[in-house]
Amino acid sequence: PLDLARARLRFPPIYGESLNTTIVQEVERYNRLTAAVRESAATVRQALRGLALLDAGLEQTADALAKGRVPPAWRRVSYPSEKPLGAYLADLSRRLAFVRAWLDRGPPRRFWLPGFFFTQAFLTGVLQNH
């Protein structure tokens, strides 16, 4: 997961720097999504080994993964995407790298708009700063 505590320390809410709030919110959203991905993947693995009960939600997740689709449990906490599973995971990896780079090096000189979980919050923050 992305380091939320570090993000809050490094980018505190400051008047005139609305993007600090934006990056912290992005970290929260991406952490929620990656937790859902990790948890459901681990539980599906356990169920396939006979170590966990396969309920309806878990069956939907396993079925979607087998068909190369993004599971409904992930979609509920995800950014909008119509990509198949492989492309979705590659996109998620690029998005996480974008956020990690921001956390490590500060705001980028150029922003990758599709990399935001909630683009409207970023655009609002930019308008508030300028």
Side-chain angles (χ1 to χ4, degrees):
L2 299 165
D3 191 342
L4 180 59
R6 181 172 164 244
R8 286 184 173 147
L9 284 173
R10 184 144 191 229
F11 302 101
I14 298 172
Y15 182 80
E17 195 48 66
S18 298
L19 293 183
N20 284 4
T21 301
T22 300
I23 187 60
V24 169
Q25 290 174 345
E26 289 290 305
V27 168
E28 291 171 340
R29 290 179 182 108
Y30 278 116
N31 279 350
R32 189 175 317 119
L33 173 57
T34 57
V37 169
R38 276 192 315 277
E39 180 183 320
S40 63
T43 308
V44 165
R45 258 192 311 275
Q46 288 178 335
L48 293 174
R49 292 181 185 143
L51 302 173
L53 200 56
L54 190 64
D55 63 13
L58 199 53
E59 188 173 356
Q60 284 181 332
T61 298
D63 186 55
L65 292 172
K67 292 177 180 175
R69 298 184 185 143
V70 177
W74 299 5
R75 287 188 182 278
R76 282 193 287 278
V77 293
S78 180
Y79 49 87
S81 177
E82 294 298 322
K83 296 177 190 277
L85 182 62
Y88 177 86
L89 291 173
D91 180 56
L92 176 58
S93 179
R94 285 190 300 271
R95 289 165 175 260
L96 292 171
F98 169 70
V99 173
R100 256 191 213 99
W102 188 340
L103 293 175
D104 292 342
R105 298 190 287 268
R109 289 177 44 196
R110 284 177 267 169
F111 293 93
W112 178 46
L113 287 180
F116 287 97
F117 203 106
F118 188 51
T119 309
Q120 295 90 330
F122 167 74
L123 295 173
T124 300
V126 169
L127 288 174
Q128 287 174 347
N129 285 348
H130 300 285

